[in-house]
Amino acid sequence: LTNVIEQSVAGPALPPLATPVVFDELPGVFDNPGAYNVRVGALHDRALRWEIAPGMTIRRLAEGVASKLKLPWRALKVADDIAAQLEAAEAAREAVILVVDESAVTAGAWKVRTAAIDAMPRSTCSVIFSLSVPAGATITPQEASKRLAALMPRIGPTARTTWFSGGAPDQLQARLSEEIVKLRMALIAEDPAKSVSDRALSDAAMETQGIDVVAQPIVSGPGGGP
């Protein structure tokens, strides 16, 4: 092994990568797309590396919440194609949580992307805003609603948005848990129920109990029928 390492170091240098690796875009170990799973993105210059508190990033919070819920999740990169990404997520029946930095989305590309999210008539997306609150101060629900409505006039006043005080990871953690559960329940409720059948169990029921699970049951007695 030492010789292999020495030869690699002494040998010619490898050519540079054609495209630099963007580590934030590499899939995680549990990056599993699928119906009723979750995507998490952040409208912030540092994306999921955005630190809500020292050492506490959005990614770390999302991982913790998903682990407690025993739910697969994956990162969503918020870019100019965010509307198309949300449409794709809805088609795949995936829930999307976007954590938004209030101070970052008031101008530039973030403002355009926020407007695109707000313009979507229907989405499987919930938006959690980080609102700036001075140290020692509090914010009333009425004031928070006004600020949300200013950022997203269409969906700001609805149940599709919520907020937490910037710098409070415990609040964000609670919001993430709540919104993930609400979105997944809404998705499941929207979809028609699917019948589940197991040929082996059906055959066993017929052979051992004489029960035909395919036939419509009939209830005997007064008022009986299929």
Side-chain angles (χ1 to χ4, degrees):
L1 177 59
T2 303
N3 290 336
V4 171
I5 295 173
E6 192 277 332
Q7 291 171 7
S8 299
V9 173
L14 293 173
L17 291 173
T19 304
V21 176
V22 181
F23 289 95
D24 280 351
E25 297 178 16
L26 292 177
V29 176
F30 302 103
D31 189 357
N32 300 315
Y36 313 132
N37 290 347
V38 179
R39 299 190 199 187
V40 180
L43 276 70
H44 186 276
D45 290 340
R46 291 183 59 81
L48 294 181
R49 291 180 298 167
W50 168 18
E51 288 190 342
I52 297 298
M56 185 60 69
T57 63
I58 301 295
R59 179 181 289 276
R60 184 174 177 184
L61 280 167
E63 287 174 347
V65 170
S67 176
K68 287 184 178 180
L69 295 175
K70 295 180 171 55
L71 181 69
W73 79 284
R74 56 177 173 156
L76 181 146
K77 181 183 178 182
V78 181
D80 292 341
D81 64 342
I82 182 60
Q85 290 195 64
L86 294 181
E87 289 176 354
E90 183 167 1
R93 309 309 288 157
E94 288 184 288
V96 176
I97 305 289
L98 297 176
V99 186
V100 181
D101 180 11
E102 179 188 23
S103 61
V105 299
T106 55
W110 291 120
K111 185 175 182 179
V112 175
R113 293 163 187 168
T114 302
I117 297 166
D118 190 35
M120 295 193 67
R122 180 175 179 274
S123 174
T124 57
C125 173
S126 180
V127 183
I128 305 175
F129 279 96
S130 169
L131 298 183
S132 302
V133 181
T138 58
I139 180 173
T140 65
Q142 294 77 12
E143 181 183 350
S145 295
K146 289 181 180 179
R147 289 165 69 172
L148 295 184
L151 294 166
M152 287 191 170
R154 293 192 180 186
I155 67 173
T158 71
R160 281 183 52 201
T161 59
T162 185
W163 61 278
F164 69 100
S165 298
D170 54 334
Q171 290 186 19
L172 176 56
Q173 187 175 38
R175 299 290 185 275
L176 281 170
S177 297
E178 293 168 2
E179 295 305 311
I180 287 173
V181 171
K182 283 165 54 178
L183 278 177
R184 295 186 73 240
M185 289 179 64
L187 283 168
I188 293 171
E190 286 179 359
D191 293 342
K194 296 180 181 178
S195 61
V196 178
S197 62
D198 187 302
R199 182 62 182 271
L201 291 178
S202 299
D203 292 346
M206 176 60 76
E207 292 174 4
T208 61
Q209 303 293 329
I211 299 173
D212 185 357
V213 298
V214 178
Q216 190 174 23
I218 299 176
V219 179
S220 61

